[in-house]
Amino acid sequence: MLDRITSMQVFVKVVATGNFTAAGRALSLSQTMVTKHITALERQMGVTLFHRSTRKLSLTEAGRLFLEGCQKILADLDEVERTVTAQRREPQGRLRLNAPVSLAIRYVAPLLPEFNRRHPLVTVELGLNDRAVDLIEEGWDLTLRIKHMAPSSLRTRKLAPIRCVVCASPAYLAQAGTPQRIEELSQHKCLGYTLGDPGNPSRWNFGAKGEHGVSVSGPLCANNGDALREAAVAGEGLIYLPVFVVSNELRSGQLQAITLDEPLMEAPPLHAVYAPGQTTPLKVRAMIDYLVECYGPVLPWEQDLP
């Protein structure tokens, strides 16, 4: 079965050159092959495209209509190919980027004006979501996730290590006391994160691998670190969150980090996650490279901490 696009190109070239031989020469095809393409089109549509005589070819009414359609289709195809090819030379198009809420607000969104200045042909659509998203099903080009990446068909790049901290407002610590051992946490108000690993806001794990656990309780648990941070600033209790969620408040003194007798659990790194493929779109590579530049060598949320 002959390729219909090629047959359309042959048809348009026959009209332009006026005969099958010249069209074949222009397309590096034999006259026999040109004839086969035209015959296949006529059979498929059940019409005659040319009035044929020994001296010249002329279009039938059906041929004139088909020529208009072919010219439009081939022009649109050329435009699509030019657009796709251009994306291999310069980042462009819509980039759908998803990131955790707290990270996106403080350490992604403020970086985007400079990214847009460097890559003016890229439009970023930023999605804020703390839950796990399905990159393929939901149509994201790139997601930022704080997790240990299991083997999968997705591609990943480590962007930054993530460190956690236990902290509370100075007012809370002055009123309730500063715990020094993890066992003392059960006597304190502890604000739990419901989307954490292992996902139990009533249990905080310590030790590099989380081998030491302690049961905790408090007046609030939430699926967003910003909500827990604001409650802690207001004196509602202790929180156990990544540093990037509370870095500004640690610097300002609104929150105070505490040291316990067991090390904090080793947090998963921040990864860029993107779809597999032989070639990664330039817009995705440009964003990943830019974030690596912005997050290193010193993480912005770790700078100037007390």
Side-chain angles (χ1 to χ4, degrees):
M1 184 175 180
L2 297 175
D3 175 59
R4 293 179 68 182
I5 295 296
T6 302
S7 296
M8 289 180 183
Q9 293 171 328
V10 170
F11 170 71
V12 171
K13 186 61 70 173
V14 169
V15 175
T17 59
N19 63 76
F20 286 19
T21 302
R25 191 180 305 117
L27 297 171
S28 299
L29 296 173
S30 67
Q31 181 177 342
T32 300
M33 185 56 68
V34 170
T35 301
K36 285 183 177 180
H37 277 287
I38 300 303
T39 301
L41 288 172
E42 290 179 326
R43 285 178 177 171
Q44 179 144 6
M45 294 184 290
V47 298
T48 300
L49 297 173
F50 292 104
H51 294 300
R52 295 170 173 83
S53 70
T54 55
R55 293 192 172 186
K56 68 173 188 175
L57 295 174
S58 60
L59 287 171
T60 63
E61 179 62 25
R64 283 192 291 273
L65 290 173
F66 189 59
L67 177 63
E68 292 177 6
C70 286
Q71 289 171 332
K72 183 179 185 307
I73 290 171
L74 295 175
D76 289 345
L77 180 61
D78 287 343
E79 179 61 28
V80 169
E81 289 178 347
R82 281 194 296 270
T83 300
V84 172
T85 302
Q87 290 191 6
R88 296 176 57 188
R89 296 192 297 266
E90 181 178 2
Q92 59 181 277
R94 181 175 297 275
L95 173 66
R96 301 193 71 230
L97 169 64
N98 189 282
V101 176
S102 302
L103 181 75
I105 291 173
R106 291 193 168 186
Y107 296 105
V108 177
L111 305 177
L112 295 182
E114 174 61 19
F115 179 83
N116 291 334
R117 188 190 67 79
R118 297 186 189 186
H119 305 289
L121 299 181
V122 178
T123 300
V124 178
E125 178 186 337
L126 179 61
L128 282 65
N129 213 317
D130 282 340
R131 66 170 175 82
V133 298
D134 190 310
L135 183 104
I136 305 301
E137 285 291 326
E138 299 179 39
W140 298 104
D141 297 301
L142 176 65
T143 68
L144 307 183
R145 283 293 167 260
I146 300 168
K147 61 185 299 186
H148 294 296
M149 301 303 301
S152 74
S153 60
L154 297 174
R155 302 176 70 179
T156 65
R157 182 172 177 182
K158 182 179 175 180
L159 296 180
I162 297 296
R163 183 171 67 90
C164 289
V165 63
V166 176
C167 58
S169 71
Y172 174 83
L173 296 176
Q175 179 267 324
T178 301
Q180 297 181 342
R181 297 164 48 242
I182 62 172
E183 288 80 4
E184 297 175 36
L185 294 174
S186 60
Q187 307 302 316
H188 280 263
K189 296 178 180 179
C190 296
L191 314 179
Y193 181 59
T194 60
L195 295 181
D197 186 9
N200 183 356
S202 299
R203 184 176 179 82
W204 285 3
N205 293 319
F206 297 86
K209 304 302 180 183
E211 59 269 26
H212 303 294
V214 58
S215 296
V216 297
S217 61
L220 174 69
C221 58
N223 65 356
N224 173 255
D226 294 314
L228 298 175
R229 180 193 65 230
E230 295 307 306
V233 168
E236 286 294 291
L238 292 153
I239 51 175
Y240 187 0
L241 291 173
V243 169
F244 66 79
V245 181
V246 296
S247 54
N248 292 347
E249 290 69 24
L250 291 173
R251 294 188 190 99
S252 68
Q254 292 176 284
L255 292 175
Q256 179 179 325
I258 65 170
T259 301
L260 296 162
D261 61 335
E262 293 289 348
L264 304 188
M265 185 175 175
E266 183 179 302
L270 174 65
H271 284 91
V273 186
Y274 52 106
Q278 289 186 335
T279 58
T280 303
L282 272 186
K283 60 185 179 181
V284 173
R285 285 181 14 212
M287 177 59 77
I288 294 174
D289 291 342
Y290 177 65
L291 291 175
V292 169
E293 174 189 336
C294 291
Y295 293 160
V298 180
L299 295 170
W301 51 84
E302 294 278 1
Q303 294 177 5
D304 303 321
L305 289 179

